[in-house]
Amino acid sequence: MKRKAVIQLNEQDNVVIALRDLTKGEQPDPLNLTLETAIKRGHKIALKPIKQGESILRYGQIIGQAKYDLKTGEHVHTHNLAMSQFKQEYEFTTKAYSLPVIKSNRTFMGYHRADGRVGTRNYVGIISTVNCSGSVARFIAEEAEKTRLLDAYANVDGVVPIVHGGGCGLSAKDEGYAALFRIISGYAQHPNFAGILLIGLGCEVMQISDLVDRRPIRPDGELRYMTIQNEGGTQRTIQRGLAELSEILAIANTSRRESAPVGKITLGMQCGGSDGYSGITANPALGYASDLLVRHGATTILSETPEIYGAEHLLTQRAISEEIGQKLLERIAWWEDYTARNGGEMDNNPSPGNKRGGLTTILEKSLGATAKSGTAPLSGVYQFGEKVTECGFVFMDSPGFDPCSVTGQVASGSNIIAFTTGRGSVSGYKPTPCIKLATNSEMYKLMSDDMDLNCGDIVDNGISIAAKGEEIFELIIKVANGEKTRSELLGFGGVEFVPWQIGAVM
């Protein structure tokens, strides 16, 4: 089958997208003209003359305005496309259509936990409350590996040290403290952890007593904790830590995979290193898979608030209530203030790599990113790292920085991550497996050792969004069953725990 040269994504669009590198002098259908410049795949071409100040449309939505008059066949990008403010119509709940429930016996083999959630992995975690205890947390994990402690516990996937750069030098009353508290609590409760060893220094702002005394972190009781200062220093903490770890490992080793409904999957949806193909291939295919999961009773989480900016109206239309829609807009308003007071603006988001891949404004990037959400009603809006309690499709507030956003999704309960990428991402997120979905075949071939699935064949071979979405859905179930992803096989997940540091460091 001959590969198309360009695609018009919506009949209202006044640009088309190049589906391969186009050369100067080429006459790509259906433009019926000769290109005056070469145009890279994923980039935009004017479909007709566009006046200065006229809105440029992709997906049938505004992505910016022309800086000056554009002629048919002209390359449309950062040099001639600008973002400006325009009134958005939110139309709360107008497209909140319930999806038909799929009554099936689809299951996966997972680890059932005391709180009713199901893990897709069976790790033991060592979590530091503060940067000052991070090295000791790592020392305990390294000593366990050096002494081959895990050899006696074949049913445990591994010991994961969770360390970070915060926990002190902040006010215990501000939103940064509250966010870190949710993250540490969320990881300590995560269903992919069979047990937790919590390590503090002793004098930090993020006190272990606050974490463990307010409420039981784990209903199964498999949480041990200590501070380096109370134990008498590094070596004594390591010795006691290894003793506690041995007991936790013995208990974790009794866990076995048992059948669970697909509805026990909580999928965090992420995109990073996006390109002009993201909103055409991998993102809508993931959206289709998200809808399938929701129809089976599962939960899917969209995040990265700066990367829905300009497309939030598509989500408020799907909110099941005006209250939920307004909650999303409150987060948008918070971000506008947050970026302004820190000397930034929301259109700062598209990275140099995004732009090289064909994306121009945050509006364009957001419209493609939102395609990951499918068509399901929006049933909830959560703060960063807040535990998700609703089933269905929900939104969790987070930055667009991928490791930070995924950290929040994991804390919220995601037991699998699906990550679309056009430029190529090589990260992983223990304790949660991460599936990498390539948006284009060229990058997939170049970085095949890091990618789990190619979605570029939607363009190359005419594979339908539905067929690719089904393929993603089946891959998610395989990974839930224990099939390792590429990032797991490569050993990623040791440095990608990145809590969102909000506010002053004092």
Side-chain angles (χ1 to χ4, degrees):
M1 179 174 132
K2 185 179 178 182
R3 185 172 177 179
K4 293 168 62 177
V6 298
I7 185 172
Q8 183 180 6
L9 300 175
N10 185 287
E11 62 182 12
Q12 298 179 46
D13 291 355
N14 50 13
V15 294
V16 294
I17 314 302
L19 296 180
R20 57 174 172 80
D21 289 346
L22 303 175
T23 59
K24 179 180 178 180
E26 194 168 347
Q27 297 177 315
D29 286 337
L31 295 183
N32 194 27
L33 55 78
T34 300
L35 293 178
E36 295 182 5
T37 60
I39 296 176
K40 294 284 189 181
R41 62 176 172 81
H43 283 243
K44 298 172 291 298
I45 308 167
L47 182 60
K48 59 184 180 180
I50 302 172
K51 294 289 187 184
Q52 180 180 2
E54 184 180 343
S55 292
I56 293 176
L57 303 179
R58 175 176 176 166
Y59 310 110
Q61 302 284 332
I62 296 171
I63 63 169
Q65 283 74 37
K67 291 182 181 178
Y68 50 80
D69 290 350
L70 308 178
K71 57 187 177 182
T72 304
E74 190 166 348
H75 181 206
V76 180
H77 199 42
T78 53
H79 61 291
N80 54 20
L81 168 58
M83 177 176 161
S84 62
Q85 296 297 320
F86 59 94
K87 183 174 175 56
Q88 197 69 269
E89 298 294 337
Y90 292 112
E91 300 175 339
F92 299 104
T93 77
T94 55
K95 295 183 180 178
Y97 308 128
S98 295
L99 301 181
V101 174
I102 296 176
K103 294 182 179 180
S104 75
N105 296 320
R106 294 305 301 273
T107 60
F108 70 99
M109 300 298 288
Y111 297 96
H112 291 251
R113 306 304 187 192
D115 63 358
R117 293 189 290 178
V118 178
T120 60
R121 297 294 183 266
N122 194 42
Y123 285 107
V124 169
I126 306 175
I127 301 178
S128 66
T129 61
V130 64
N131 177 257
C132 308
S133 61
S135 289
V136 172
R138 287 196 185 277
F139 293 159
I140 296 170
E142 289 165 1
E143 191 65 23
E145 183 175 0
K146 189 188 305 180
T147 59
R148 304 184 68 87
L149 184 61
L150 265 72
D151 287 359
Y153 308 108
N155 203 40
V156 179
D157 290 317
V159 173
V160 182
I162 300 291
V163 303
H164 56 97
C168 205
L170 74 168
S171 168
K173 298 178 181 179
D174 68 13
E175 55 192 346
Y177 177 90
L180 182 59
F181 191 97
R182 290 193 300 270
I183 292 298
I184 294 177
S185 297
Y187 269 69
Q189 299 175 67
H190 199 278
N192 286 3
F193 281 132
I196 293 293
L197 178 60
L198 198 60
I199 306 289
L201 177 61
C203 56
E204 62 270 20
V205 173
M206 184 61 64
Q207 287 283 297
I208 281 184
S209 58
D210 291 333
L211 284 160
V212 302
D213 289 351
R214 293 184 184 181
R215 56 179 169 74
I217 289 185
R218 294 184 65 91
D220 58 13
E222 295 313 322
L223 181 135
R224 316 291 174 88
Y225 51 89
M226 64 189 74
T227 66
I228 298 165
Q229 291 167 352
N230 281 345
E231 292 304 316
T234 298
Q235 288 302 327
R236 290 188 179 93
T237 305
I238 293 171
Q239 290 169 7
R240 187 186 162 199
L242 286 169
E244 297 284 0
L245 190 61
S246 295
E247 293 184 13
I248 298 171
L249 285 167
I251 295 167
N253 199 53
T254 64
S255 298
R256 296 290 184 273
R257 287 189 180 271
E258 298 176 34
S259 180
V262 167
K264 289 294 185 179
I265 291 174
T266 298
L267 179 74
M269 299 182 293
Q270 198 73 199
C271 59
S274 300
D275 68 353
Y277 276 33
S278 296
I280 302 172
T281 60
N283 286 358
L286 178 55
Y288 190 94
S290 172
D291 283 348
L292 285 176
L293 285 167
V294 169
R295 292 174 66 190
H296 279 85
T299 300
T300 63
I301 305 173
L302 181 70
S303 299
E304 301 181 285
T305 313
E307 296 184 15
I308 65 157
Y309 187 71
E312 69 273 10
H313 64 293
L314 302 179
L315 297 175
T316 58
Q317 291 168 4
R318 291 159 51 194
I320 60 173
S321 69
E322 184 170 343
E323 179 184 8
I324 288 174
Q326 289 288 0
K327 196 172 180 182
L328 180 64
L329 296 185
E330 287 170 9
R331 300 317 303 161
I332 294 288
W334 184 94
W335 271 93
E336 289 176 328
D337 175 70
Y338 177 61
T339 52
R341 70 177 185 254
N342 285 285
E345 56 187 37
M346 296 298 283
D347 195 36
N348 283 353
N349 183 273
S351 69
N354 295 153
K355 292 174 181 178
R356 285 194 294 271
L359 299 177
T360 307
T361 65
I362 187 55
L363 303 179
E364 182 179 15
K365 185 177 183 181
S366 293
L367 290 162
T370 304
K372 299 193 301 293
S373 68
T375 62
L378 176 65
S379 60
V381 174
Y382 292 85
Q383 294 185 70
F384 180 71
E386 184 180 2
K387 184 178 180 180
V388 171
T389 55
E390 281 97 355
C391 293
F393 164 62
V394 302
F395 185 85
M396 184 206 75
D397 182 34
S398 83
F401 181 43
D402 304 319
C404 183
S405 182
V406 176
T407 294
Q409 290 180 327
V410 173
S412 288
S414 296
N415 52 14
I416 294 183
I417 300 294
F419 192 121
T420 70
T421 181
R423 305 297 292 178
S425 170
V426 299
S427 51
Y429 304 94
K430 288 179 181 178
T432 297
C434 177
I435 299 168
K436 293 289 172 52
L437 306 171
T439 72
N440 64 84
S441 300
E442 289 81 0
M443 186 276 290
Y444 177 78
K445 291 172 186 174
L446 180 66
M447 300 182 65
S448 57
D449 288 343
D450 292 277
M451 298 295 116
D452 294 287
L453 187 67
N454 180 30
C455 298
D457 52 6
I458 291 172
V459 165
D460 299 340
N461 303 324
I463 303 297
S464 70
I465 294 293
K468 186 58 65 172
E470 292 271 7
E471 192 176 354
I472 295 170
F473 174 75
E474 295 298 335
L475 179 56
I476 288 167
I477 295 174
K478 288 178 183 177
V479 171
N481 274 322
E483 182 175 304
K484 288 190 179 295
T485 65
R486 295 285 186 173
S487 62
E488 289 181 289
L489 291 170
L490 289 165
F492 281 98
V495 298
E496 288 89 348
F497 178 72
V498 183
W500 182 8
Q501 189 166 295
I502 310 171
V505 178
M506 298 177 283

